[in-house]
Amino acid sequence: MFDNFDDIRGDIVARLTRAVTDRNSPLHTPVVTTADANARVMVLRAFSAEDWTLRFHTDIRSPKCAMIGAGAPVGVLGYDRAAKLQLRLRGRGRIETDTALVQQAWAESTNYARRCYLGDGPGALSDAPTSGLPDWAEGIQPTDEQVMPARENFAVLLVELASLDWFILMHDGHVRAQFTRREGGDWQGRWVVP
């Protein structure tokens, strides 16, 4: 039973850390929302427990990038069905396109993943079902040279977390805890009726 804030924060860190590398983790693909109430499933690419920052990859042409820009509220929702645990995370998002972190993220991506940033941008209209990729890129892993034009469309969404809401469903009584990040980086916890 989780009955103290340190254990719950530890559980959140463990789950987010695992979610980055474990494709089977239910938190690997959380729902990310922007201030305009648009929600989308995104792949969690990195989590820093040191500064409580989440990293996602995105296309700079995506409407969410214009919405978030250099700083805007972002919500992240994950649910672990087996554990009956809901995580609601809120923070300040920002889009980066030309930093060392973005270069590193691009370098660590496979060409198969990089090819997603070729072709038409997210939301572009089409007369027929389409991936948006150029015909030559469908179903292949392109070469480094072939994906180079995609780099200009690649961006990183960073979400610096400011509040955490941990809610577990249990037969003997649900438990919910919320945390707010204070100046200096430490967390203030409180118990909340589920």
Side-chain angles (χ1 to χ4, degrees):
M1 167 83 175
F2 289 96
D3 58 5
N4 70 71
F5 296 134
D6 288 339
D7 287 349
I8 292 173
R9 273 195 323 277
D11 181 64
I12 294 169
V13 167
R15 288 176 186 282
L16 292 174
T17 301
R18 177 178 157 235
V20 170
T21 57
D22 182 357
R23 291 176 179 246
N24 295 318
S25 165
L27 298 179
H28 183 64
T29 51
V31 175
V32 178
T33 60
T34 46
D36 59 352
N38 273 328
R40 75 279 291 151
V41 173
M42 295 183 75
V43 176
L44 179 60
R45 301 294 182 173
F47 166 65
S48 169
E50 185 176 314
D51 60 6
W52 287 85
T53 300
L54 307 174
R55 187 183 86 208
F56 301 92
H57 297 172
T58 189
D59 191 311
I60 191 63
R61 301 168 293 175
S62 169
K64 73 178 163 293
C65 291
M67 173 69 63
I68 296 168
V74 172
V76 179
L77 172 66
Y79 182 67
D80 183 331
R81 184 177 179 187
K84 297 181 180 174
L85 177 81
Q86 174 182 268
L87 260 186
R88 291 191 305 170
L89 313 171
R90 291 187 182 126
R92 190 118 185 115
R94 75 178 183 276
I95 301 295
E96 293 189 359
T97 59
D98 198 22
T99 63
L101 177 66
V102 178
Q103 283 301 113
Q104 178 184 347
W106 178 258
E108 291 173 353
S109 297
T110 66
N111 283 350
Y112 196 76
R114 291 175 183 168
R115 77 185 177 115
C116 295
Y117 303 95
L118 292 169
D120 297 330
L125 296 176
S126 174
D127 292 333
T130 181
S131 68
L133 292 174
D135 290 339
W136 64 264
E138 292 282 355
I140 68 162
Q141 178 159 302
T143 66
D144 289 347
E145 185 178 325
Q146 288 173 314
V147 296
M148 193 51 66
R151 172 58 187 89
E152 70 184 48
N153 300 323
F154 179 75
V156 165
L157 164 59
L158 296 174
V159 181
E160 186 176 343
L161 298 176
S163 69
L164 318 170
D165 189 314
W166 182 93
F167 180 12
I168 190 163
L169 303 169
M170 297 171 43
H171 289 293
D172 55 349
H174 309 325
V175 178
R176 184 176 179 196
Q178 293 178 336
F179 300 87
T180 303
R181 196 165 186 196
R182 297 188 290 199
E183 197 155 326
D186 62 328
W187 292 93
Q188 175 68 45
R190 65 183 183 185
W191 299 109
V192 181
V193 175

